[in-house]
PDB file of all heavy atoms in Angstrom:
ATOM      1  N   PRO A 676      -4.274 362.521 244.443  1.00  0.00           N
ATOM      2  CA  PRO A 676      -3.633 363.818 244.181  1.00  0.00           C
ATOM      3  C   PRO A 676      -3.683 364.738 245.401  1.00  0.00           C
ATOM      4  O   PRO A 676      -4.501 364.566 246.305  1.00  0.00           O
ATOM      5  CB  PRO A 676      -4.453 364.392 243.023  1.00  0.00           C
ATOM      6  CG  PRO A 676      -5.143 363.228 242.416  1.00  0.00           C
ATOM      7  CD  PRO A 676      -5.390 362.267 243.514  1.00  0.00           C
ATOM      8  N   ASN A 677      -2.783 365.697 245.387  1.00  0.00           N
ATOM      9  CA  ASN A 677      -2.724 366.742 246.419  1.00  0.00           C
ATOM     10  C   ASN A 677      -2.640 366.144 247.824  1.00  0.00           C
ATOM     11  O   ASN A 677      -3.419 366.460 248.716  1.00  0.00           O
ATOM     12  CB  ASN A 677      -3.938 367.670 246.306  1.00  0.00           C
ATOM     13  CG  ASN A 677      -4.052 368.296 244.931  1.00  0.00           C
ATOM     14  OD1 ASN A 677      -3.062 368.804 244.396  1.00  0.00           O
ATOM     15  ND2 ASN A 677      -5.237 368.243 244.337  1.00  0.00           N
ATOM     16  N   THR A 678      -1.667 365.251 247.971  1.00  0.00           N
ATOM     17  CA  THR A 678      -1.466 364.532 249.227  1.00  0.00           C
ATOM     18  C   THR A 678      -0.009 364.659 249.642  1.00  0.00           C
ATOM     19  O   THR A 678       0.877 364.818 248.810  1.00  0.00           O
ATOM     20  CB  THR A 678      -1.821 363.044 249.054  1.00  0.00           C
ATOM     21  OG1 THR A 678      -3.124 362.934 248.482  1.00  0.00           O
ATOM     22  CG2 THR A 678      -1.787 362.301 250.377  1.00  0.00           C
ATOM     23  N   LYS A 679       0.238 364.540 250.925  1.00  0.00           N
ATOM     24  CA  LYS A 679       1.597 364.477 251.442  1.00  0.00           C
ATOM     25  C   LYS A 679       1.832 363.075 251.978  1.00  0.00           C
ATOM     26  O   LYS A 679       1.036 362.550 252.765  1.00  0.00           O
ATOM     27  CB  LYS A 679       1.819 365.509 252.551  1.00  0.00           C
ATOM     28  CG  LYS A 679       3.280 365.618 253.000  1.00  0.00           C
ATOM     29  CD  LYS A 679       3.432 366.625 254.129  1.00  0.00           C
ATOM     30  CE  LYS A 679       3.251 368.035 253.635  1.00  0.00           C
ATOM     31  NZ  LYS A 679       4.370 368.498 252.780  1.00  0.00           N
ATOM     32  N   THR A 680       2.905 362.444 251.550  1.00  0.00           N
ATOM     33  CA  THR A 680       3.184 361.079 251.980  1.00  0.00           C
ATOM     34  C   THR A 680       3.615 361.074 253.443  1.00  0.00           C
ATOM     35  O   THR A 680       3.928 362.108 254.029  1.00  0.00           O
ATOM     36  CB  THR A 680       4.289 360.447 251.122  1.00  0.00           C
ATOM     37  OG1 THR A 680       5.536 361.134 251.377  1.00  0.00           O
ATOM     38  CG2 THR A 680       3.964 360.548 249.646  1.00  0.00           C
ATOM     39  N   ILE A 681       3.670 359.870 253.998  1.00  0.00           N
ATOM     40  CA  ILE A 681       4.062 359.735 255.397  1.00  0.00           C
ATOM     41  C   ILE A 681       5.476 360.266 255.636  1.00  0.00           C
ATOM     42  O   ILE A 681       5.790 360.765 256.706  1.00  0.00           O
ATOM     43  CB  ILE A 681       3.962 358.245 255.846  1.00  0.00           C
ATOM     44  CG1 ILE A 681       4.270 358.084 257.332  1.00  0.00           C
ATOM     45  CG2 ILE A 681       4.889 357.368 255.013  1.00  0.00           C
ATOM     46  CD1 ILE A 681       3.267 358.741 258.249  1.00  0.00           C
ATOM     47  N   ASN A 682       6.322 360.189 254.601  1.00  0.00           N
ATOM     48  CA  ASN A 682       7.687 360.715 254.732  1.00  0.00           C
ATOM     49  C   ASN A 682       7.818 362.110 254.128  1.00  0.00           C
ATOM     50  O   ASN A 682       8.883 362.529 253.687  1.00  0.00           O
ATOM     51  CB  ASN A 682       8.709 359.766 254.111  1.00  0.00           C
ATOM     52  CG  ASN A 682       8.428 359.451 252.666  1.00  0.00           C
ATOM     53  OD1 ASN A 682       7.296 359.533 252.216  1.00  0.00           O
ATOM     54  ND2 ASN A 682       9.445 359.082 251.915  1.00  0.00           N
ATOM     55  N   GLU A 683       6.706 362.830 254.087  1.00  0.00           N
ATOM     56  CA  GLU A 683       6.663 364.257 253.778  1.00  0.00           C
ATOM     57  C   GLU A 683       7.082 364.598 252.351  1.00  0.00           C
ATOM     58  O   GLU A 683       7.758 365.587 252.103  1.00  0.00           O
ATOM     59  CB  GLU A 683       7.519 365.045 254.787  1.00  0.00           C
ATOM     60  CG  GLU A 683       7.047 364.887 256.227  1.00  0.00           C
ATOM     61  CD  GLU A 683       7.888 365.688 257.201  1.00  0.00           C
ATOM     62  OE1 GLU A 683       8.882 366.299 256.747  1.00  0.00           O
ATOM     63  OE2 GLU A 683       7.569 365.698 258.388  1.00  0.00           O
ATOM     64  N   MET A 684       6.665 363.772 251.417  1.00  0.00           N
ATOM     65  CA  MET A 684       6.840 364.112 250.006  1.00  0.00           C
ATOM     66  C   MET A 684       5.503 364.589 249.464  1.00  0.00           C
ATOM     67  O   MET A 684       4.461 363.955 249.691  1.00  0.00           O
ATOM     68  CB  MET A 684       7.342 362.900 249.207  1.00  0.00           C
ATOM     69  CG  MET A 684       8.726 362.436 249.603  1.00  0.00           C
ATOM     70  SD  MET A 684       9.314 361.056 248.585  1.00  0.00           S
ATOM     71  CE  MET A 684       9.612 361.891 247.028  1.00  0.00           C
ATOM     72  N   ASP A 685       5.525 365.717 248.762  1.00  0.00           N
ATOM     73  CA  ASP A 685       4.299 366.292 248.223  1.00  0.00           C
ATOM     74  C   ASP A 685       3.886 365.575 246.947  1.00  0.00           C
ATOM     75  O   ASP A 685       4.669 365.461 246.001  1.00  0.00           O
ATOM     76  CB  ASP A 685       4.485 367.787 247.933  1.00  0.00           C
ATOM     77  CG  ASP A 685       4.652 368.601 249.203  1.00  0.00           C
ATOM     78  OD1 ASP A 685       3.971 368.280 250.194  1.00  0.00           O
ATOM     79  OD2 ASP A 685       5.463 369.553 249.206  1.00  0.00           O
ATOM     80  N   ILE A 686       2.644 365.105 246.930  1.00  0.00           N
ATOM     81  CA  ILE A 686       2.082 364.480 245.731  1.00  0.00           C
ATOM     82  C   ILE A 686       1.111 365.480 245.127  1.00  0.00           C
ATOM     83  O   ILE A 686       0.028 365.730 245.673  1.00  0.00           O
ATOM     84  CB  ILE A 686       1.354 363.161 246.071  1.00  0.00           C
ATOM     85  CG1 ILE A 686       2.286 362.208 246.816  1.00  0.00           C
ATOM     86  CG2 ILE A 686       0.817 362.524 244.794  1.00  0.00           C
ATOM     87  CD1 ILE A 686       3.483 361.760 246.025  1.00  0.00           C
ATOM     88  N   GLY A 687       1.487 366.070 244.005  1.00  0.00           N
ATOM     89  CA  GLY A 687       0.610 367.025 243.341  1.00  0.00           C
ATOM     90  C   GLY A 687      -0.315 366.295 242.404  1.00  0.00           C
ATOM     91  O   GLY A 687      -1.390 365.845 242.775  1.00  0.00           O
ATOM     92  N   SER A 688       0.094 366.149 241.152  1.00  0.00           N
ATOM     93  CA  SER A 688      -0.695 365.384 240.200  1.00  0.00           C
ATOM     94  C   SER A 688      -0.435 363.907 240.423  1.00  0.00           C
ATOM     95  O   SER A 688       0.692 363.482 240.626  1.00  0.00           O
ATOM     96  CB  SER A 688      -0.326 365.773 238.769  1.00  0.00           C
ATOM     97  OG  SER A 688       1.030 365.477 238.517  1.00  0.00           O
ATOM     98  N   CYS A 689      -1.490 363.117 240.420  1.00  0.00           N
ATOM     99  CA  CYS A 689      -1.345 361.672 240.598  1.00  0.00           C
ATOM    100  C   CYS A 689      -2.600 360.996 240.060  1.00  0.00           C
ATOM    101  O   CYS A 689      -3.675 361.130 240.652  1.00  0.00           O
ATOM    102  CB  CYS A 689      -1.141 361.323 242.073  1.00  0.00           C
ATOM    103  SG  CYS A 689      -0.989 359.545 242.382  1.00  0.00           S
ATOM    104  N   GLU A 690      -2.475 360.309 238.946  1.00  0.00           N
ATOM    105  CA  GLU A 690      -3.613 359.627 238.337  1.00  0.00           C
ATOM    106  C   GLU A 690      -3.444 358.114 238.456  1.00  0.00           C
ATOM    107  O   GLU A 690      -3.713 357.358 237.515  1.00  0.00           O
ATOM    108  CB  GLU A 690      -3.753 360.056 236.875  1.00  0.00           C
ATOM    109  CG  GLU A 690      -4.120 361.508 236.687  1.00  0.00           C
ATOM    110  CD  GLU A 690      -5.475 361.850 237.296  1.00  0.00           C
ATOM    111  OE1 GLU A 690      -6.317 360.932 237.426  1.00  0.00           O
ATOM    112  OE2 GLU A 690      -5.697 363.027 237.639  1.00  0.00           O
ATOM    113  N   PHE A 691      -2.999 357.673 239.626  1.00  0.00           N
ATOM    114  CA  PHE A 691      -2.740 356.256 239.830  1.00  0.00           C
ATOM    115  C   PHE A 691      -4.024 355.432 239.700  1.00  0.00           C
ATOM    116  O   PHE A 691      -4.059 354.404 239.020  1.00  0.00           O
ATOM    117  CB  PHE A 691      -2.089 356.057 241.199  1.00  0.00           C
ATOM    118  CG  PHE A 691      -1.669 354.640 241.483  1.00  0.00           C
ATOM    119  CD1 PHE A 691      -1.273 353.802 240.459  1.00  0.00           C
ATOM    120  CD2 PHE A 691      -1.655 354.154 242.785  1.00  0.00           C
ATOM    121  CE1 PHE A 691      -0.874 352.498 240.720  1.00  0.00           C
ATOM    122  CE2 PHE A 691      -1.260 352.864 243.051  1.00  0.00           C
ATOM    123  CZ  PHE A 691      -0.874 352.023 242.016  1.00  0.00           C
ATOM    124  N   LEU A 692      -5.104 355.873 240.343  1.00  0.00           N
ATOM    125  CA  LEU A 692      -6.359 355.127 240.280  1.00  0.00           C
ATOM    126  C   LEU A 692      -6.880 355.050 238.844  1.00  0.00           C
ATOM    127  O   LEU A 692      -7.330 353.991 238.391  1.00  0.00           O
ATOM    128  CB  LEU A 692      -7.398 355.786 241.188  1.00  0.00           C
ATOM    129  CG  LEU A 692      -7.300 355.424 242.678  1.00  0.00           C
ATOM    130  CD1 LEU A 692      -8.209 356.317 243.503  1.00  0.00           C
ATOM    131  CD2 LEU A 692      -7.645 353.947 242.887  1.00  0.00           C
ATOM    132  N   ALA A 693      -6.807 356.168 238.132  1.00  0.00           N
ATOM    133  CA  ALA A 693      -7.271 356.171 236.746  1.00  0.00           C
ATOM    134  C   ALA A 693      -6.422 355.239 235.890  1.00  0.00           C
ATOM    135  O   ALA A 693      -6.935 354.557 234.985  1.00  0.00           O
ATOM    136  CB  ALA A 693      -7.229 357.591 236.182  1.00  0.00           C
ATOM    137  N   THR A 694      -5.126 355.196 236.168  1.00  0.00           N
ATOM    138  CA  THR A 694      -4.241 354.307 235.422  1.00  0.00           C
ATOM    139  C   THR A 694      -4.570 352.849 235.702  1.00  0.00           C
ATOM    140  O   THR A 694      -4.594 352.013 234.788  1.00  0.00           O
ATOM    141  CB  THR A 694      -2.781 354.599 235.781  1.00  0.00           C
ATOM    142  OG1 THR A 694      -2.498 355.979 235.543  1.00  0.00           O
ATOM    143  CG2 THR A 694      -1.832 353.748 234.970  1.00  0.00           C
ATOM    144  N   LEU A 695      -4.818 352.519 236.959  1.00  0.00           N
ATOM    145  CA  LEU A 695      -5.206 351.156 237.313  1.00  0.00           C
ATOM    146  C   LEU A 695      -6.479 350.747 236.582  1.00  0.00           C
ATOM    147  O   LEU A 695      -6.568 349.640 236.024  1.00  0.00           O
ATOM    148  CB  LEU A 695      -5.412 351.050 238.821  1.00  0.00           C
ATOM    149  CG  LEU A 695      -4.175 350.851 239.703  1.00  0.00           C
ATOM    150  CD1 LEU A 695      -4.565 350.937 241.172  1.00  0.00           C
ATOM    151  CD2 LEU A 695      -3.523 349.511 239.402  1.00  0.00           C
ATOM    152  N   ASP A 696      -7.463 351.640 236.589  1.00  0.00           N
ATOM    153  CA  ASP A 696      -8.735 351.329 235.935  1.00  0.00           C
ATOM    154  C   ASP A 696      -8.549 351.119 234.435  1.00  0.00           C
ATOM    155  O   ASP A 696      -9.127 350.189 233.844  1.00  0.00           O
ATOM    156  CB  ASP A 696      -9.742 352.444 236.183  1.00  0.00           C
ATOM    157  CG  ASP A 696     -10.173 352.522 237.649  1.00  0.00           C
ATOM    158  OD1 ASP A 696      -9.983 351.522 238.367  1.00  0.00           O
ATOM    159  OD2 ASP A 696     -10.671 353.590 238.070  1.00  0.00           O
ATOM    160  N   ALA A 697      -7.757 351.985 233.818  1.00  0.00           N
ATOM    161  CA  ALA A 697      -7.528 351.859 232.382  1.00  0.00           C
ATOM    162  C   ALA A 697      -6.797 350.558 232.051  1.00  0.00           C
ATOM    163  O   ALA A 697      -7.141 349.858 231.086  1.00  0.00           O
ATOM    164  CB  ALA A 697      -6.735 353.056 231.873  1.00  0.00           C
ATOM    165  N   ALA A 698      -5.782 350.218 232.847  1.00  0.00           N
ATOM    166  CA  ALA A 698      -5.041 348.977 232.613  1.00  0.00           C
ATOM    167  C   ALA A 698      -5.940 347.761 232.815  1.00  0.00           C
ATOM    168  O   ALA A 698      -5.854 346.774 232.074  1.00  0.00           O
ATOM    169  CB  ALA A 698      -3.841 348.908 233.548  1.00  0.00           C
ATOM    170  N   CYS A 699      -6.795 347.843 233.804  1.00  0.00           N
ATOM    171  CA  CYS A 699      -7.720 346.745 234.085  1.00  0.00           C
ATOM    172  C   CYS A 699      -8.670 346.529 232.906  1.00  0.00           C
ATOM    173  O   CYS A 699      -8.885 345.398 232.453  1.00  0.00           O
ATOM    174  CB  CYS A 699      -8.496 347.053 235.365  1.00  0.00           C
ATOM    175  SG  CYS A 699      -9.655 345.758 235.877  1.00  0.00           S
ATOM    176  N   ASP A 700      -9.208 347.608 232.380  1.00  0.00           N
ATOM    177  CA  ASP A 700     -10.166 347.498 231.277  1.00  0.00           C
ATOM    178  C   ASP A 700      -9.493 347.016 229.995  1.00  0.00           C
ATOM    179  O   ASP A 700      -9.993 346.112 229.309  1.00  0.00           O
ATOM    180  CB  ASP A 700     -10.842 348.849 231.036  1.00  0.00           C
ATOM    181  CG  ASP A 700     -11.749 349.258 232.188  1.00  0.00           C
ATOM    182  OD1 ASP A 700     -12.150 348.370 232.965  1.00  0.00           O
ATOM    183  OD2 ASP A 700     -12.037 350.465 232.307  1.00  0.00           O
ATOM    184  N   LYS A 701      -8.375 347.616 229.648  1.00  0.00           N
ATOM    185  CA  LYS A 701      -7.744 347.305 228.359  1.00  0.00           C
ATOM    186  C   LYS A 701      -7.127 345.913 228.331  1.00  0.00           C
ATOM    187  O   LYS A 701      -6.985 345.311 227.264  1.00  0.00           O
ATOM    188  CB  LYS A 701      -6.681 348.358 228.033  1.00  0.00           C
ATOM    189  CG  LYS A 701      -7.277 349.724 227.717  1.00  0.00           C
ATOM    190  CD  LYS A 701      -6.206 350.708 227.250  1.00  0.00           C
ATOM    191  CE  LYS A 701      -6.829 352.042 226.869  1.00  0.00           C
ATOM    192  NZ  LYS A 701      -5.831 353.009 226.371  1.00  0.00           N
ATOM    193  N   SER A 702      -6.735 345.395 229.479  1.00  0.00           N
ATOM    194  CA  SER A 702      -6.102 344.074 229.525  1.00  0.00           C
ATOM    195  C   SER A 702      -7.112 342.952 229.679  1.00  0.00           C
ATOM    196  O   SER A 702      -6.750 341.775 229.560  1.00  0.00           O
ATOM    197  CB  SER A 702      -5.114 344.012 230.695  1.00  0.00           C
ATOM    198  OG  SER A 702      -5.800 344.096 231.946  1.00  0.00           O
ATOM    199  N   GLY A 703      -8.366 343.290 229.947  1.00  0.00           N
ATOM    200  CA  GLY A 703      -9.348 342.250 230.233  1.00  0.00           C
ATOM    201  C   GLY A 703      -9.046 341.555 231.541  1.00  0.00           C
ATOM    202  O   GLY A 703      -9.280 340.340 231.693  1.00  0.00           O
TER     203      GLY A 703
END
Side-chain angles (χ1 to χ4, degrees):
N677 303 313
T678 308
K679 188 182 288 290
T680 67
I681 184 66
N682 56 335
E683 300 181 356
M684 295 183 71
D685 292 322
I686 305 297
S688 62
C689 179
E690 294 298 335
F691 185 31
L692 278 170
T694 304
L695 278 173
D696 292 341
C699 182
D700 292 340
K701 291 186 177 182
S702 66

